[in-house]
Amino acid sequence: MAEQEASGLQVLLSTLQSSHDRDVILNILSVLTDLLSLGTGRRIHYVVSKGGSEALLQALATAARTEPPDHGTLLPLLRLLARVGQRDRKFGLKVQKAEATDIILSLARRHLGHHLHLTHCLWVLQVCASNVTTGTMLGINGAMELLFKVITPYSKRHVRTVRAAIGALAALLRSKSNSRRAVNRGYLGELLRLYQDWHLNDVSNNYIYIRRGLLLCLKYITNIQLGRETFRGSRGMEILFTSVQDCLSCKSLDPIITTATHVLRKCYPKEHLPVVTVRSSYSFPLPGNASAEPPCEGSEGDSESEGEDEAEKDWDNEDVESKEEDCDLETDVNKLRSRPALDRPEQELEKYEALCAELSQNFEELEFESEEKKSLEDRTENLPSAPSHFIPSATSVKHPNCRWRNQSVTEMGPDPGEEDFKVPFQSWRKKEDCIWDKNDEKRDIAEETQDKDFCEEEDPSRSHVFALCPLPKDVAWYKKMFYPHCEASINPSSEERLESSDIIRNLLEKHHIPFHSPCFYAARAKCVKSIPGYRELAFPDFWGHQPPPYSKPVLERKHGVQRDKVLDDVRRLIQPGDVIGRTVFDLDDPSGSSPAAPGCLTFFSKFESGNLRKAIQVREFEYDLIMNADVNSSQHHQWFYFEVRDMKAAVPYRFNIINCEKFNSQFNYGMQLVMYSVREALQGRPRWIRAGQEICYYKNHYRCSAAAGGGVRGRFYYTLTFSIKFPHKDDVCYLAYHYPYTYSTMMSHLDILEQNRNPKKVYWRQQTLCQTLGGNPCPLLTITAMPESKNRHDLEQFCSRPYAFLTARVHPGESNSSWVMKGTLEFLVSSDPIAELLRKCFIFKIVPMLNPDGVINGNLRCSLSGDDLNRQWLTPSSQLHPTIYHAKGLLYYLRSIGRAPLVFCDYHGHSQKKNVFLYGCSIKETLWQAGCMVDTAVVTEDVGYRTLPKILDKVAPAFVMNSCSFLVEKSRASTARVVVWKEMGVLRSYTMESTYCSCSHGLYRGLQLGTQELEEMGSKFCLGLLILHLKSLPCSKELMAQAALLLDLEEEITDRAQRRCSNSSLESDDEPPCAEEIDYDTASSSDGEEEFLELDQEIQECLSCVEGETEDEVTTGQTCSSRALRGLYISSQPAANSTALPLGSTALGLYSGFESSPV
């Protein structure tokens, strides 16, 4: 049947090309018109595949040579050419080959006075010009001059012809040579005047397509630099801005607003960031001759000659959604299966034996309790005492989280190179001068009883904790407490000191956040080595965080918010009267910051993990903020964390972070930043909350240098903008990209866990893996169950347990990974029966923070060397990448003694995807995805790598199996998961990604994940490991029976929770398009398909005239009447006595069989 259809269509097309019989041609055109007017574009593609475009072009050439022209044939032929040509990707080349460009132009010129015929010619001209080469030829041959004769001067006569001419002109202006020609001949000014005329006279909004068509012409003509300069010189910015203001109140005008906004944003004068240099404010001298600016992966890319359009290629990193071509997949089976040689001498591995003391531990010679106490005393001799904390079980209510900032105490002692560290090292005992602002004492945060409640809904039952406590009068009270020598510089009276001391004591006595102690945190923070030499503590880290009693849904995006923000930015240029432009905070030049004016916010970021480089007051309640690049780098801007104070209550402040780098963000899909209020904390609500309204993320006009753009020229930064109403006047608040988790928070948390575990049941050993480049210790934990007794069998069982190797926070900006790790650690040392069983099944080696220096100094991605440490696993340097070098060395050692881990998992955060999911490694899945033939007899693979994610999909509410991937990309060859998989032979080697935003499936669908949900994921990962162990390894009958009882209970709880959720995991994980995405890529051709749909509509509207409509709504004097058009339409039908080609079985089979066509 298909062959019959194909042969029938080919007969028709062949006859169309060769026949000179008018009636035969009209019949064929009628059949083709009927065929293509039904169904979808698939029919047109089928006709194109059978040579339809060539046949129609040949027929056009024949009909055009007829004198006088036969319009009865030409009109249906031109309509078919317009419909077929727009879906033929090679139509422009076919037009050139048929030498039809001159024919089409000639027909258009000939019919300038006959608007119906001219309209048909213009449709075909538009389709031809969609090919840039053909459009350039048409421009050279005078097509633009012809079109400007049609569209000027302004007139509402023949609007259908004007609309077609504007569509053809927009298509021509896609060619940059045509755009230059148009600018040089003054057409840009004509277009602006014409747009103004249509805008001012279209009161009823009947000509939206014409107005938008003119804007598209301006959009394409401003793709070139000359066009943008001329546009600005012709007051185009003012004209479009004013016209858009008139359209904002009418939703039907959104197409006009969107296109105009695009033009305004693109033509906004480009400039560099208002900083002295894009390199980080912090630099660190590297050992030896190492370069401080490493080459950036994925930096190769083409740049436009105009320097405008950016190569939209995302950074090559594990935590960015991969949109790379399949060619990035590793298809060399030998490389996938190879196990490279050691990257160091084998004898060097012996030193890692000291990090595996559990394998040689002689428990018969130890007193468990006394040894543990002794070890703890050695580690915490300089730490203040901390209150006892209950370590919860899985059945208890989930306890909140806590944290704080700077410090480290290690078994290995201070770094031998500490004396070479350029920044003064703050000792707990050392008396040093404080440098915080004396104006701190003037900032009164005394609580007013009449203050309105916090803008976020809170649980009233939680607000009583400190409700009756008098609040300190000085915002720096906690600094005075831990730095008493600084009080002399502030000169408080003895009475004030006594009053402050009483208040502080009262607050601390009532302070209780599980697994957090301000005293422990302060002690740890004193020992941290940072490049700026931090001397201040961020209050949220010091005081701690307690999760709110509710989960917050994703923020619903307000319609038009992005365009409103963009237009507000443009207003700075058009109406600069209210622009202040005052620098109020500058990390590079503190003396250059203007003193705080009345009503002006005060910013600060020089504390652990803080990141804010510069703050500029734009208007009274609007600020531009600039983030600091990673140390020894010019790029990696995403993480921010800063303090703001001196605000007014209930006033919407707008903040614009203007140097973001990524091409899209979850901020466009409902994600909010987090905020912490000191006043709220002292009232009994010490918590980070999701905050911010009118949030959007878009490309701005700040140009990246080649260094800042990763070697790619022509890139631009992006703006994250949001508005916040602070809950209290003169509060001290902190804003951050995500829930901060600092190095000192981790270290103090480890101290508390060690102090509060049960030493008779939990084997805990904290060692120092190595010293970082900045001189901070990187802790290594060993956690397992103590042997049940000292008999030989139990000791052998202890030593023979398989290893699980867990790491986190290799990327400093991924603080969510630390919260997941926190949940893992708390569960592992808890008294939960499942945790006890899990400890008997595994020996855990855990590096909770692989990049302490990056976390301390507020980096997003790199270490002090300026390197992404998760790209250094292939050949790490012992000097530049010590944590990776020694973590890999420890893994090498475990493999060398036959104890390679059963599971390796590196905890990460993902900024562009929802849910929690795993990346793993599979040879077969990689080859299948790349389209390679896989010989299953040669390529064999254990599918056990899928077991753990399948388990987590069932037990962890935030985990989604459909989001997981097991592909091995070439660009990921140096990441932890791929190197451990290949070199250590670990089948279950994973990266676990946690979203910053929300879940698209399951119990947490539509809810932003908080620290409680992230910690829960860490504990559920442990549960998954236990089930994996029971499924994969032989176990004793006693252990199996115990596990069966516990897991049945756990499964019942999980099933009950899943039944409460009606959403399945079968939905697509693809991110929906942004609700209001403005395309700022000037090379974009995204309008093409929309324009073709409009062209189809135009053709259909023209044909509808046979039902009685006139061709123009104003006059019919110079147009073809509806009767004439009906006559033309009827004349295209076969006559009763026609000698037309009979529609025999072949032709009828073609017509009726199209519905079943394989196309």
Side-chain angles (χ1 to χ4, degrees):
M1 185 64 183
E3 292 179 4
Q4 184 180 5
E5 293 164 8
S7 62
L9 179 60
Q10 288 167 348
V11 168
L12 286 177
L13 295 176
S14 176
T15 305
L16 179 64
Q17 288 178 284
S18 60
S19 176
H20 296 283
D21 189 316
R22 180 177 183 274
D23 292 332
V24 171
I25 294 173
L26 286 174
N27 268 322
I28 294 174
L29 294 177
S30 177
V31 171
L32 291 175
T33 298
D34 289 343
L35 287 173
L36 301 183
S37 63
L38 301 173
T40 64
R42 295 174 63 192
R43 291 187 173 189
I44 297 179
H45 289 298
Y46 185 64
V47 172
V48 169
S49 70
K50 299 302 178 182
S53 299
E54 292 88 339
L56 291 171
L57 286 169
Q58 180 62 42
L60 176 65
T62 302
R65 287 194 294 268
T66 305
E67 289 293 343
D70 183 1
H71 295 109
T73 304
L74 277 174
L75 292 185
L77 186 57
L78 289 169
R79 285 196 296 269
L80 280 171
L81 272 171
R83 296 202 65 195
V84 172
Q86 63 182 320
R87 289 176 173 83
D88 184 352
R89 294 183 179 180
K90 298 182 179 180
F91 188 73
L93 298 176
K94 294 174 182 178
V95 169
Q96 295 177 47
K97 186 176 180 180
E99 298 180 349
T101 53
D102 290 339
I103 295 173
I104 297 168
L105 278 176
S106 176
L107 286 172
R109 290 191 178 101
R110 185 182 301 181
H111 295 103
L112 277 175
H114 199 295
H115 294 283
L116 177 62
H117 300 164
L118 178 59
T119 301
H120 283 67
C121 295
L122 294 177
W123 289 338
V124 179
L125 186 63
Q126 176 181 347
V127 175
C128 293
S130 61
N131 176 276
V132 174
T133 305
T134 309
T136 302
M137 292 178 58
L138 288 168
I140 293 172
N141 292 331
M144 283 193 296
E145 291 80 356
L146 170 68
L147 295 174
F148 268 91
K149 288 180 181 178
V150 177
I151 66 176
T152 57
Y154 163 76
S155 171
K156 286 188 178 180
R157 298 174 55 148
H158 319 305
V159 291
R160 185 169 288 115
T161 304
V162 172
R163 176 179 172 182
I166 291 174
L169 180 61
L172 284 170
L173 291 173
R174 290 176 182 272
S175 162
K176 290 188 176 181
S177 62
N178 284 342
S179 293
R180 292 189 187 93
R181 188 176 293 109
V183 174
N184 291 331
R185 297 185 181 184
Y187 291 157
L188 195 152
E190 286 290 328
L191 286 172
L192 281 172
R193 285 190 289 274
L194 195 60
Y195 173 75
Q196 277 184 295
D197 290 336
W198 280 102
H199 172 74
L200 294 174
N201 291 285
D202 185 18
V203 179
S204 301
N205 296 326
N206 293 326
Y207 306 107
I208 294 176
Y209 284 122
I210 289 180
R211 291 158 65 184
R212 183 174 181 271
L214 290 168
L215 288 172
L216 286 175
C217 292
L218 292 172
K219 172 183 174 180
Y220 298 134
I221 207 170
T222 53
N223 279 348
I224 61 172
Q225 185 174 348
L226 178 62
R228 293 189 293 275
E229 292 173 353
T230 307
F231 178 83
R232 291 192 293 267
S234 303
R235 299 188 70 253
M237 298 289 288
E238 292 83 352
I239 292 171
L240 259 62
F241 181 80
T242 303
S243 69
V244 167
Q245 301 305 309
D246 299 336
C247 299
L248 291 176
S249 60
C250 184
K251 197 171 189 302
S252 65
L253 298 179
D254 277 356
I256 290 177
I257 299 171
T258 299
T259 308
T261 304
H262 187 153
V263 177
L264 287 169
R265 181 73 281 175
K266 181 170 53 175
C267 294
Y268 199 106
K270 305 302 181 288
E271 55 185 305
H272 293 287
L273 282 175
V275 291
V276 176
T277 173
V278 294
R279 286 190 63 80
S280 174
S281 299
Y282 302 147
S283 62
F284 185 83
L286 300 180
N289 297 319
S291 170
E293 184 70 44
C296 177
E297 296 187 25
S299 63
E300 296 299 324
D302 298 328
S303 60
E304 288 291 324
S305 59
E306 298 293 340
E308 170 69 18
D309 306 325
E310 65 185 50
E312 298 261 329
K313 181 177 179 181
D314 211 339
W315 300 120
D316 177 27
N317 57 57
E318 183 81 16
D319 69 350
V320 172
E321 181 176 5
S322 177
K323 295 183 180 178
E324 299 169 344
E325 301 294 336
D326 285 345
C327 61
D328 185 42
L329 296 176
E330 181 57 76
T331 56
D332 187 331
V333 178
N334 292 326
K335 289 184 179 180
L336 287 169
R337 302 173 73 173
S338 66
R339 181 173 295 182
L342 284 174
D343 62 2
R344 66 198 76 195
E346 189 169 355
Q347 57 270 23
E348 190 178 314
L349 300 181
E350 297 176 1
K351 66 182 181 183
Y352 297 103
E353 182 180 0
L355 298 179
C356 297
E358 65 278 359
L359 298 179
S360 58
Q361 191 78 62
N362 186 354
F363 289 96
E364 294 183 0
E365 299 177 1
L366 290 177
E367 289 295 325
F368 292 177
E369 252 185 284
S370 61
E371 179 63 24
E372 294 292 339
K373 289 181 178 178
K374 182 175 181 294
S375 172
L376 185 60
E377 289 172 1
D378 292 341
R379 288 185 43 76
T380 59
E381 59 181 357
N382 288 328
L383 295 175
S385 60
S388 175
H389 296 280
F390 170 66
I391 298 180
S393 66
T395 56
S396 66
V397 177
K398 183 68 182 177
H399 285 280
N401 326 344
C402 40
R403 46 178 149 94
W404 230 75
R405 294 191 309 108
N406 272 338
Q407 185 221 352
S408 47
V409 176
T410 72
E411 292 180 354
M412 297 176 67
D415 182 12
E418 181 181 318
E419 60 273 13
D420 297 327
F421 194 76
K422 303 302 181 184
V423 182
F425 179 44
Q426 299 179 22
S427 167
W428 172 251
R429 302 174 183 274
K430 197 178 289 184
K431 304 290 184 181
E432 297 186 54
D433 293 333
C434 273
I435 59 172
W436 54 72
D437 190 350
K438 295 182 181 181
N439 290 329
D440 283 348
E441 66 176 353
K442 300 177 182 179
R443 299 189 179 103
D444 180 14
I445 63 165
E447 184 64 28
E448 299 175 7
T449 57
Q450 300 301 320
D451 271 346
K452 60 162 57 179
D453 292 334
F454 198 27
C455 55
E456 304 290 337
E457 293 184 8
E458 300 287 348
D459 183 355
S461 64
R462 291 179 175 248
S463 63
H464 72 281
V465 182
F466 302 122
L468 301 179
C469 295
L471 303 181
K473 296 180 179 180
D474 190 344
V475 296
W477 62 271
Y478 57 94
K479 300 172 186 175
K480 296 177 182 178
M481 171 187 173
F482 293 103
Y483 301 88
H485 53 282
C486 293
E487 292 190 11
S489 64
I490 301 177
N491 295 321
S493 67
S494 58
E495 292 182 1
E496 289 176 343
R497 285 199 298 268
L498 183 60
E499 178 186 1
S500 176
S501 177
D502 291 340
I503 294 173
I504 291 167
R505 188 179 302 108
N506 189 12
L507 287 169
L508 288 177
E509 284 177 356
K510 295 181 179 293
H511 179 279
H512 177 74
I513 295 179
F515 301 104
H516 183 79
S517 164
C519 299
F520 265 53
Y521 185 88
R524 283 292 183 178
K526 289 289 291 181
C527 301
V528 167
K529 296 182 179 180
S530 63
I531 293 177
Y534 299 131
R535 298 191 182 187
E536 296 205 22
L537 310 177
F539 184 85
D541 304 323
F542 165 76
W543 196 251
H545 161 70
Q546 191 166 18
Y550 55 85
S551 296
K552 193 165 184 182
V554 294
L555 180 68
E556 184 176 352
R557 190 181 179 92
K558 176 184 172 184
H559 174 74
V561 62
Q562 181 165 302
R563 73 173 186 214
D564 292 345
K565 298 300 182 182
V566 171
L567 291 173
D568 208 26
D569 294 344
V570 174
R571 186 178 288 108
R572 298 189 197 181
L573 183 70
I574 307 300
Q575 302 169 357
D578 62 342
V579 175
I580 299 173
R582 176 173 56 213
T583 299
V584 295
F585 175 77
D586 193 342
L587 203 60
D588 300 308
D589 182 18
S591 62
S593 302
S594 303
C600 176
L601 295 178
T602 302
F603 296 84
F604 188 72
S605 66
K606 290 188 69 173
F607 48 78
E608 191 176 344
S609 291
N611 189 315
L612 177 66
R613 182 173 189 169
K614 193 170 186 177
I616 302 170
Q617 185 178 20
V618 179
R619 300 184 179 96
E620 183 180 3
F621 299 112
E622 182 179 357
Y623 295 82
D624 280 352
L625 308 178
I626 299 175
M627 295 177 288
N628 196 19
D630 283 4
V631 175
N632 282 341
S633 171
S634 300
Q635 52 187 328
H636 307 301
H637 305 94
Q638 177 177 290
W639 173 257
F640 59 88
Y641 180 20
F642 58 89
E643 174 189 289
V644 59
R645 60 176 67 184
D646 297 332
M647 67 283 292
K648 296 180 180 179
V651 172
Y653 286 87
R654 178 183 173 185
F655 298 95
N656 310 305
I657 299 178
I658 62 175
N659 63 330
C660 304
E661 292 176 344
K662 297 195 175 183
F663 302 113
N664 204 349
S665 169
Q666 284 294 311
F667 283 115
N668 273 337
Y669 303 99
M671 175 177 162
Q672 295 174 284
L673 64 151
V674 295
M675 179 177 75
Y676 191 106
S677 163
V678 171
R679 188 176 289 245
E680 286 291 313
L682 297 181
Q683 285 182 323
R685 295 179 290 273
R687 61 186 58 134
W688 288 98
I689 62 164
R690 296 281 187 171
Q693 300 292 322
E694 299 185 349
I695 300 175
C696 54
Y697 185 94
Y698 55 87
K699 187 188 294 185
N700 60 36
H701 64 280
Y702 291 106
R703 190 189 303 274
C704 289
S705 64
V712 180
R713 298 179 60 84
R715 290 193 54 185
F716 289 84
Y717 289 108
Y718 288 73
T719 291
L720 165 63
T721 181
F722 55 90
S723 297
I724 284 193
K725 290 183 180 180
F726 295 104
H728 303 291
K729 178 183 177 182
D730 294 332
D731 195 359
V732 179
C733 291
Y734 292 80
L735 303 179
Y737 179 85
H738 193 69
Y739 303 95
Y741 193 100
T742 67
Y743 174 73
S744 297
T745 299
M746 177 199 67
M747 296 299 288
S748 59
H749 183 235
L750 297 183
D751 292 334
I752 293 171
L753 287 178
E754 183 173 8
Q755 202 173 63
N756 289 277
R757 79 193 193 287
N758 184 343
K760 294 183 178 181
K761 292 187 175 182
V762 181
Y763 177 94
W764 167 289
R765 188 176 183 87
Q766 181 174 338
Q767 299 168 278
T768 296
L769 176 68
C770 62
Q771 294 286 330
T772 66
L773 198 59
N776 295 290
C778 177
L780 169 70
L781 305 177
T782 305
I783 302 175
T784 188
M786 293 291 286
E788 304 231 345
S789 68
K790 300 177 183 178
N791 66 51
R792 182 177 177 181
H793 176 269
D794 289 336
L795 292 178
E796 286 180 353
Q797 192 277 336
F798 174 88
C799 294
S800 62
R801 295 168 187 165
Y803 277 92
F805 203 110
L806 309 179
T807 61
R809 206 69 182 278
V810 69
H811 293 146
E814 296 169 5
S815 60
N816 45 358
S817 67
S818 282
W819 289 103
V820 177
M821 178 59 76
K822 180 176 186 288
T824 295
L825 293 174
E826 288 178 10
F827 183 82
L828 283 178
V829 300
S830 73
S831 58
D832 187 293
I834 293 178
E836 292 182 359
L837 192 61
L838 180 62
R839 290 194 296 266
K840 294 177 182 178
C841 294
F842 285 99
I843 299 175
F844 287 89
K845 288 289 185 185
I846 300 176
V847 185
M849 191 171 284
L850 274 169
N851 192 350
D853 292 338
V855 173
I856 290 167
N857 292 286
N859 283 7
L860 166 68
R861 193 158 188 87
C862 299
S863 65
L864 296 189
S865 65
D867 294 320
D868 179 346
L869 293 183
N870 202 35
R871 292 297 180 277
Q872 310 303 323
W873 281 80
L874 270 179
T875 55
S877 164
S878 59
Q879 284 190 311
L880 297 178
H881 324 117
T883 60
I884 305 302
Y885 182 84
H886 293 294
K888 186 178 181 182
L890 178 55
L891 284 162
Y892 267 142
Y893 172 74
L894 291 174
R895 190 197 73 177
S896 70
I897 61 173
R899 301 297 298 275
L902 178 69
V903 174
F904 171 87
C905 191
D906 189 19
Y907 292 8
H908 281 251
H910 205 296
S911 65
Q912 294 191 13
K913 291 185 72 174
K914 289 180 167 57
N915 309 311
V916 181
F917 53 93
L918 290 178
Y919 288 132
C921 302
S922 166
I923 296 177
K924 284 187 177 180
E925 291 195 36
T926 302
L927 296 177
W928 285 331
Q929 180 66 29
C932 300
M933 296 296 293
V934 179
D935 186 347
T936 55
V938 176
V939 181
T940 59
E941 186 173 52
D942 184 347
V943 296
Y945 62 87
R946 278 184 163 266
T947 306
L948 181 58
K950 286 181 178 179
I951 294 169
L952 293 175
D953 189 54
K954 293 183 177 181
V955 303
F959 191 91
V960 175
M961 179 69 182
N962 285 356
S963 298
C964 297
S965 173
F966 305 95
L967 306 180
V968 181
E969 302 97 331
K970 297 174 185 176
S971 58
R972 307 294 192 270
S974 56
T975 60
R977 71 171 165 97
V978 176
V979 170
V980 174
W981 172 67
K982 287 178 64 175
E983 297 191 23
M984 315 302 167
V986 177
L987 174 70
R988 300 172 183 87
S989 178
Y990 305 107
T991 298
M992 183 161 69
E993 300 278 3
S994 300
T995 181
Y996 290 97
C997 184
S998 63
C999 290
S1000 60
H1001 302 73
L1003 292 173
Y1004 299 144
R1005 179 176 181 176
L1007 299 177
Q1008 297 183 77
L1009 294 191
T1011 56
Q1012 184 164 319
E1013 290 76 27
L1014 293 171
E1015 289 187 48
E1016 178 193 58
M1017 184 64 234
S1019 65
K1020 293 298 184 183
F1021 183 80
C1022 295
L1023 175 61
L1025 288 179
L1026 176 60
I1027 300 174
L1028 173 70
H1029 182 280
L1030 299 175
K1031 285 177 174 287
S1032 307
L1033 298 176
C1035 303
S1036 67
K1037 292 182 180 180
E1038 179 184 354
L1039 189 145
M1040 288 296 291
Q1042 185 180 0
L1045 180 63
L1046 292 173
L1047 295 179
D1048 281 347
L1049 177 61
E1050 183 73 26
E1051 185 175 0
E1052 181 182 344
I1053 295 172
T1054 302
D1055 288 344
R1056 191 183 309 124
Q1058 289 179 343
R1059 282 196 297 272
R1060 289 199 301 265
C1061 177
S1062 60
N1063 303 305
S1064 68
S1065 299
L1066 300 178
E1067 301 176 33
S1068 170
D1069 187 52
D1070 293 338
E1071 184 68 76
C1074 181
E1076 182 201 11
E1077 188 166 6
I1078 297 179
D1079 177 15
Y1080 292 133
D1081 180 7
T1082 57
S1084 171
S1085 59
S1086 61
D1087 299 299
E1089 185 63 29
E1090 185 176 352
E1091 290 169 18
F1092 287 151
L1093 293 175
E1094 292 177 10
L1095 182 55
D1096 282 340
Q1097 183 180 349
E1098 283 186 63
I1099 296 172
Q1100 192 61 39
E1101 288 174 359
C1102 184
L1103 287 175
S1104 70
C1105 288
V1106 300
E1107 301 300 327
E1109 297 179 4
T1110 58
E1111 194 271 340
D1112 292 297
E1113 66 179 72
V1114 177
T1115 178
T1116 59
Q1118 300 179 6
T1119 65
C1120 185
S1121 68
S1122 61
R1123 182 178 303 148
L1125 184 57
R1126 184 184 293 110
L1128 288 174
Y1129 181 78
I1130 294 174
S1131 69
S1132 69
Q1133 308 303 313
N1137 58 352
S1138 171
T1139 58
L1141 178 71
L1143 293 179
S1145 59
T1146 301
L1148 290 174
L1150 166 72
Y1151 186 81
S1152 62
F1154 240 104
E1155 292 301 326
S1156 59
S1157 171
V1159 299

